[in-house]
Amino acid sequence: MTQTAKTTRDDGQLTLRDVVAVLERRYPLDTAQSWDRVGLVAGDLDQPISRIHLAVDPTLAVIEEARAAGADLIITHHPLLLRGIHSVATTSAKGASVTELIVNDIALYCAHTNADVADPGVGQALAAACGLSETQALEVTEGQELGRVGDLPDALPLAEFARRLHEHLPATASGIRVAGPADGTVRRIAVLGGAGDGAFDAVRASGADVYVTADLRHHPALEAREEAAVAGGTPYLIDAGHFASESLWLPGLAQGLVAELGAAAARLDVHVSQVRTDPWDFVLGATGPGASGPEQHPESEPHTNDAGDHA
Amino acid sequence: MTQTAKTTRDDGQLTLRDVVAVLERRYPLDTAQSWDRVGLVAGDLDQPISRIHLAVDPTLAVIEEARAAGADLIITHHPLLLRGIHSVATTSAKGASVTELIVNDIALYCAHTNADVADPGVGQALAAACGLSETQALEVTEGQELGRVGDLPDALPLAEFARRLHEHLPATASGIRVAGPADGTVRRIAVLGGAGDGAFDAVRASGADVYVTADLRHHPALEAREEAAVAGGTPYLIDAGHFASESLWLPGLAQGLVAELGAAAARLDVHVSQVRTDPWDFVLGATGPGASGPEQHPESEPHTNDAGDHA
Amino acid sequence: MTQTAKTTRDDGQLTLRDVVAVLERRYPLDTAQSWDRVGLVAGDLDQPISRIHLAVDPTLAVIEEARAAGADLIITHHPLLLRGIHSVATTSAKGASVTELIVNDIALYCAHTNADVADPGVGQALAAACGLSETQALEVTEGQELGRVGDLPDALPLAEFARRLHEHLPATASGIRVAGPADGTVRRIAVLGGAGDGAFDAVRASGADVYVTADLRHHPALEAREEAAVAGGTPYLIDAGHFASESLWLPGLAQGLVAELGAAAARLDVHVSQVRTDPWDFVLGATGPGASGPEQHPESEPHTNDAGDHA
Amino acid sequence: MTQTAKTTRDDGQLTLRDVVAVLERRYPLDTAQSWDRVGLVAGDLDQPISRIHLAVDPTLAVIEEARAAGADLIITHHPLLLRGIHSVATTSAKGASVTELIVNDIALYCAHTNADVADPGVGQALAAACGLSETQALEVTEGQELGRVGDLPDALPLAEFARRLHEHLPATASGIRVAGPADGTVRRIAVLGGAGDGAFDAVRASGADVYVTADLRHHPALEAREEAAVAGGTPYLIDAGHFASESLWLPGLAQGLVAELGAAAARLDVHVSQVRTDPWDFVLGATGPGASGPEQHPESEPHTNDAGDHA
Amino acid sequence: MTQTAKTTRDDGQLTLRDVVAVLERRYPLDTAQSWDRVGLVAGDLDQPISRIHLAVDPTLAVIEEARAAGADLIITHHPLLLRGIHSVATTSAKGASVTELIVNDIALYCAHTNADVADPGVGQALAAACGLSETQALEVTEGQELGRVGDLPDALPLAEFARRLHEHLPATASGIRVAGPADGTVRRIAVLGGAGDGAFDAVRASGADVYVTADLRHHPALEAREEAAVAGGTPYLIDAGHFASESLWLPGLAQGLVAELGAAAARLDVHVSQVRTDPWDFVLGATGPGASGPEQHPESEPHTNDAGDHA
Amino acid sequence: MTQTAKTTRDDGQLTLRDVVAVLERRYPLDTAQSWDRVGLVAGDLDQPISRIHLAVDPTLAVIEEARAAGADLIITHHPLLLRGIHSVATTSAKGASVTELIVNDIALYCAHTNADVADPGVGQALAAACGLSETQALEVTEGQELGRVGDLPDALPLAEFARRLHEHLPATASGIRVAGPADGTVRRIAVLGGAGDGAFDAVRASGADVYVTADLRHHPALEAREEAAVAGGTPYLIDAGHFASESLWLPGLAQGLVAELGAAAARLDVHVSQVRTDPWDFVLGATGPGASGPEQHPESEPHTNDAGDHA
């Protein structure tokens, strides 16, 4: 059900209807993946909007931050209700979140896979943070371009590339994880914000030297490194963090909203949330690229992924 | 198809048949989950066995390490061929691994979910590393007890508990990740080696203060923390690493094998692999419990998972 | 997740937690069918409860009636959110309903198939309205007894039986529909509140002369009449209306709640909604049993369902 | 397997093959929905045809009526064997029907969803009875246009529109049910013969003021009325009866058959069955639009569907 | 729907109801596999029965043979309508068969997997033809014992065993096929009438030297021979023909029917059909065990299934 | 993953990579059916190739034959690993086959449904053996033409046609089976190598007089003969043997390989295996077309498939 954009009210007060119209032009609902649940999650199209908060996840802390700041609309990347709910009782976190939003008159809007594929969008924000300017689609799913792939102006050592990317990401307790030799050379870069387990075939087909994504689990990551071992060593892997890799999109969204609303945005505040919704609070025992690796395997066969990499 | 155990050959030479008989007593094939693929993956039951290597994953580096050491049998936790293969050509990593094993006359045996539930087994080794002595099952799946839950002799601060656990784990580049306040109190501990996304309901039902597992992804971990926020703050989460949490089982397996083979083990060497098969090589920007958190959210509402936790 | 019943608050104020405890004793959650969604739909367990409204359906009109009457809890038979929802925006009826409930601090609780099978419950209330005292289960589904079957003290003509039943039902625009000859004799009665298309095999096996249920569609009803034609003419059918047949349960629920809450109910009002949630507003052209039928088929073969029935 | 049309026999006797050829030109088999079962159900293509009976349903009474009248072919809208049968023993109604047809040498032909979408066809006959001349498709399913939507020459009160429609329908015991205020204004009309539960999205998208269909059940109808309540009150609903709404197609079929068979029809009788196959025989307690409604809800909020409607 | 057995009519005339009652005692309907379709396929329970034909398949030729002989009931092993039918028009073979049965007043009854598992039944008749007296179940499926396994009094060469079996089978054009060396020794025999592709695991577990069944296709048979090659050479295979292997059951059924009907059978004829319903009419180029094999592979490795076997 | 063809090595030695390139030009991987598993099954693309063996099935006997002959590549029609395997231990035939291949450095390549549809390919080789020159596709599945249909220069009696076909086929113990009268006339021929149960609808639509295929089971073959009985008697059936019908493709493949490799084939031997992988070793009791049939049914109704055929 697309929303028909209307002009703001006679009194010049921006309504939720106005903001939704802009969002659905930027992120058309029919560009979302079929399993996704995007669009307006809570609120009334006629309610006035004066202050918007932008965040990756609609957590209770984000809702509380928005309430304390007087926001009347939260726009997030992740859907609150991806799986349908059958109760809004406060005994569950989903129910408590819905109740907090309604009681405090805060609307919620979600732009997820339709924001991933938009131009500008989540994929392009991550590509830009990697230093890529011109990019192509990593893969096409349900007719939409997911992920980006492109070439750096100059080749870099893997560790140096990772360091530069890390500078563009918000600090999180878990940092970013890298698989590959610190001095391996990378130039062709594939990126996919969020969970990237499912795109390894596309990454290999792209010829990328390194794959920047998040939420990689042990088995897919290890199997990708094994396939790389029989194919010359690449692609290397960088897990940049699910929250961190997708938060890069928020500042551009803030600017875009203000620009597209034009004069109507004069009385509108748009803020990016300061809550880091990465679930991890601290890490023990992680080692950087300069550290001597945790063990030194004596042989340095071309297909070992654990020898020499830390030297 | 269970293997009938036979005595060793007349000349006293241990055969693969002998070792398989011991393994299937320790880890009966019918205690594996229905989706799992356990048992003998490569080799001939009549081949002689003189040197056994134990590892979590049957990677190319592990096979090379075993070959270089003269091993004729590798026993791993993870199956090489969980998904069926249709080719053993060396163009794929799975094909290259199978070919390396056969060309070098190295047998491969896998004990996976049947080792998870064994006594002693993977779950109990992780529970012991957490300081638990008496434990109960975390959940029962397909009639088998998966995971353990038990109480520490004394309550500990979360960070201190994590530090003690970390000392028992093999060093990996990624270390261990913790969600929860450093000074939160924990006494009741739930553990599940390997990927733990699917057991949150059982963890909550167990009343655990902290859940020690691995391979937690953003959405399940964040939703678990949100549910904890409306339920008093616990359970906290520790992602101890998939490889690290399951490697704890290997030393006990080595001892058990030698003990059960008895006199037949006199001419047998059993080694735990020195290859760390965690796929990550280095980490940038991770922060420990003493560090000032990446941001300070001004409110300290009880349901924020990012405020005060790092103080 | 069953709710643990607690005593009322120290100040004697009844809370939602208290009422939920009583409801879950009367209608245990695990006696609902697996596809059903029962229990607390909206509200906070600690909110005070002073006035309860009972209804078959949680429509917007019922919520408005409850709000106007100052109710803080609605208990309905039908779930509001049987299918999961992904948005509570007021653009949809479900979202508007949820928003109305939360904004007005009205909790919602649903007892559906667990109330159908309870003793006393929906099936027994309908059986009683039919004049049955001792009954057996019509069928057993997922271990629960659904529907009732029993014998009248004396046989009655079908039209007379229907007239007596009609007197017990709330008036609706659509009335009740009867298939069978007005003067057919009935004594053994099968009843199933709500939509009864799926239970014809059980009805035939029960030997019932007439099946009292609702929401029968053309094809199942016609096929049931055809099967009856080759089996002697019975069972006849009565479609008593979905709302009407299930509303019979509400008065007993009101009495039971007050009785079970005991002294705590002293300051509690319990009302049955006056809103008829049958969706139909008027009917044209319906004909009663005394009317000359719409056409007279000349032959009166035993298997015609349209001859003689209207004479 | 389409039948190739052939000319009538040398002796001028019309055969089943001839009639089938005409029917498959009017209602091509490949325009039926994929789940449907249309075409020749019983008979031999070479059997002579002198008398044809037309009916909505192939019930035992219809077969008996046809036999008594000496018919050798019955053409119905509804398939006798939509679900496949595994026995034709006379212990079941389907078996008894098949046996009656074969023993009496009566062929049976069914045109169902392919007749719904034909021009002229079932949808257009219902649209014409509603007073619509020019119409568009209500929805397109599997490439076929299902249902019609169009505008009346002038707006009418809902009760008056229903009265006019009722005059075009065959009398049945259940009459027609209407949801909406008697004085609500309707001009844009959506129609779908037979069971219409599944087309509410298309009806809303069409902008129809009233939806004329049949076999609406409590939950879909009530949810449609709830959605209407948040969208201005329309579409209203008319359940015109499954049999009644589809019987409108039969007279046009009779004329069309005679016209297309031309000279060959000279010795052919075509009759529309007088058996009403609506399964209901009488109704108690239904109330018309002039009646005072069964209850008067004091508030008349715009979203109540039960207040004012009966005044 | 089980049929209640009644006594024969007052005039002593046997009815279909009487015969069905006996058949359902011998072959209870609920011992058939869930996918099967057994019981009465055509006929009226009250029709008189004077002559019964027994056959493996209800083909048009069998029906014609029965009609010519004046039979009023055919009992077959294979269902006529295993897949449900949607038409009985004579344009299809199934429709023509049903029409022929009804027009000629011939009832049809099928006892399929419930006859396979009966005692006496199809499996036991085949076991007896193999020379087995005491047998156990080959496997248990849906709670029923399918197939038999037992030991010959003395071991025999495979070719001699096949010759003796062949003498018990009705002659068919295709004969019986044997896989294994003519002089291989067999003593333990597994049998499964009809198509046996799916029971190889059970056959191997039974320790059978030879598996007598039918309808074995290239891939399953070849894979079974390959597995046998790595397991010592057995089980050998005999494809005795689907029709031939199951026809052995008919004479016992004829005797049993007469015996169980007792005095009521005095005026009853029961005949076994003389129509061979094996679909094949002649064979070219088949070679017997004495023939020099079609080619001689020089090596005689233990796992070749084509060397030495024909010497 | 298609293999990029490269020129032979500098020393002129043909490698597996060279042969694979030729095979994937002849039989593109994407012309295989989606369920199929074709391409390289074992081997290393850089291994030298001097001797190639061609066979229908990769049995242990074929591998042993190839090993004894010094072959380093086997090309087969049937996949070794159509179902994925989870173990290559020698306890199973599949594991033993893989192990034998790898230990003996023999590569394995499979061209299955992509060879069926190729031009020249399996379907065309069988059509040629039937005496057909110009043919069309029998059916189109997943965009590929499966099977062939064409007309003989002159009509032939069925038995004569079968005799001529038999002369082109390799001798097997089971010979070829024919359903239909020996003197029936055939001119239009449909062929489908391998198992042909699934193509009867296409065969009937093609108007073929006889269908030459293999692996026909009792029920599909009998039902096809029954449908033929109501449609004039044809199509007749010939089961030419799965192995035999597909082996016809091997000589053309041998010639094509040598021709396409050109000068590089100078040092290459290509042999067609002499192992007959039809699983059957001998047959008892088969009867040819001249033999008096196993029984003579007295009536010779047009729809009996067993009368007159053997005269």
Side-chain angles (χ1 to χ4, degrees), chain A residues 51-57 62 65-66 69 71 73-75 170 243 246-257 269-276, chain B residues 295 297:
Chain A
R51 187 176 182 97
I52 303 177
H53 255 55
L54 310 182
V56 171
D57 294 281
V62 165
E65 180 197 34
L73 170 61
I74 302 174
I75 303 173
F243 159 77
E246 296 186 332
S247 70
L248 298 169
W249 161 71
L250 300 176
L253 169 57
Q255 293 167 0
L257 272 180
D269 284 326
V270 182
H271 292 269
V272 173
S273 166
Q274 296 303 305
V275 179
R276 308 295 161 91
Chain B
E295 55 77 46
H297 183 52

Side-chain angles (χ1 to χ4, degrees), chain A residues 251-311:
Chain A
L253 169 57
Q255 293 167 0
L257 272 180
V258 170
E260 291 198 39
L261 285 165
R267 285 185 278 167
L268 178 72
D269 284 326
V270 182
H271 292 269
V272 173
S273 166
Q274 296 303 305
V275 179
R276 308 295 161 91
T277 55
D278 187 85
W280 303 105
D281 291 304
F282 58 90
V283 168
L284 298 179
T287 53
S292 165
E295 54 79 46
Q296 295 292 336
H297 184 51
E299 292 83 31
S300 68
E301 297 295 310
H303 55 236
T304 59
N305 75 328
D306 58 317
D309 294 355
H310 316 102

Side-chain angles (χ1 to χ4, degrees), chain A residues 60-281:
Chain A
L60 288 159
V62 165
I63 297 169
E64 171 57 21
E65 180 197 34
R67 185 202 61 75
D72 30 35
L73 170 61
I74 302 174
I75 303 173
T76 63
H77 185 51
H78 289 141
L80 178 61
L81 305 180
L82 183 60
R83 288 186 300 273
I85 58 170
H86 303 271
S87 169
V88 294
T90 61
T91 39
S92 76
K94 298 292 183 194
S97 301
V98 166
T99 301
E100 282 300 300
L101 288 166
I102 292 177
V103 163
N104 293 300
D105 251 343
I106 303 173
L108 175 65
Y109 191 93
C110 153
H112 190 210
T113 52
N114 49 343
D116 284 334
V117 303
D119 175 7
V122 178
Q124 296 192 329
L126 179 55
C130 286
L132 303 174
S133 44
E134 288 196 19
T135 59
Q136 299 83 44
L138 175 59
E139 60 181 351
V140 175
T141 304
E142 300 188 12
Q144 302 298 321
E145 297 190 344
L146 276 175
R148 312 301 306 168
V149 62
D151 294 295
L152 296 176
D154 300 289
L156 288 177
L158 174 60
E160 175 60 18
F161 170 76
R163 256 185 228 108
R164 294 187 187 185
L165 170 61
H166 184 240
E167 282 171 14
H168 285 85
L169 295 169
T172 63
S174 29
I176 73 176
R177 299 183 295 177
V178 185
D183 57 358
T185 301
V186 303
R187 179 153 189 196
R188 188 159 181 78
I189 316 290
V191 305
L192 183 65
D197 272 0
F200 282 116
D201 284 347
V203 169
R204 278 187 286 267
S206 77
D209 299 313
V210 63
Y211 176 34
V212 179
T213 184
D215 252 352
L216 293 178
R217 285 167 295 173
H218 177 80
H219 288 300
L222 187 58
E223 293 195 352
R225 295 302 296 143
E226 290 286 288
E227 290 300 335
V230 298
T234 58
Y236 307 128
L237 307 176
I238 294 182
D239 186 327
H242 198 129
F243 159 77
S245 66
E246 296 186 332
S247 70
L248 298 169
W249 161 71
L250 300 176
L253 169 57
Q255 293 167 0
L257 272 180
V258 170
E260 291 198 39
L261 285 165
R267 285 185 278 167
L268 178 72
D269 284 326
V270 182
H271 292 269
V272 173
S273 166
Q274 296 303 305
V275 179
R276 308 295 161 91
T277 55
D278 187 85
W280 303 105
D281 291 304

Side-chain angles (χ1 to χ4, degrees), chain B residues 103-190:
Chain B
V103 162
N104 292 302
D105 253 344
I106 303 173
L108 175 65
Y109 190 93
C110 152
H112 189 210
T113 52
N114 49 343
D116 284 334
V117 304
D119 176 7
V122 178
Q124 296 193 328
L126 179 55
C130 288
L132 303 174
S133 45
E134 287 196 22
T135 59
Q136 298 83 43
L138 174 59
E139 61 181 352
V140 174
T141 304
E142 300 187 12
Q144 301 297 321
E145 297 190 344
L146 275 176
R148 311 301 305 169
V149 62
D151 295 295
L152 296 176
D154 300 290
L156 288 176
L158 173 60
E160 175 59 18
F161 171 75
R163 257 187 227 107
R164 294 187 188 184
L165 169 61
H166 184 240
E167 282 171 16
H168 284 85
L169 295 168
T172 63
S174 28
I176 72 175
R177 299 183 296 178
V178 186
D183 57 358
T185 301
V186 303
R187 180 152 188 197
R188 189 159 179 80
I189 317 290

Side-chain angles (χ1 to χ4, degrees), chain B residues 40-41 44 81 86-88 90, chain F residues 40-41 44 81 86-88 90:
Chain B
L40 191 63
V41 177
D44 190 297
L81 306 179
H86 304 271
S87 170
V88 295
T90 61
Chain F
L40 191 63
V41 177
D44 190 296
L81 306 179
H86 303 271
S87 169
V88 295
T90 62

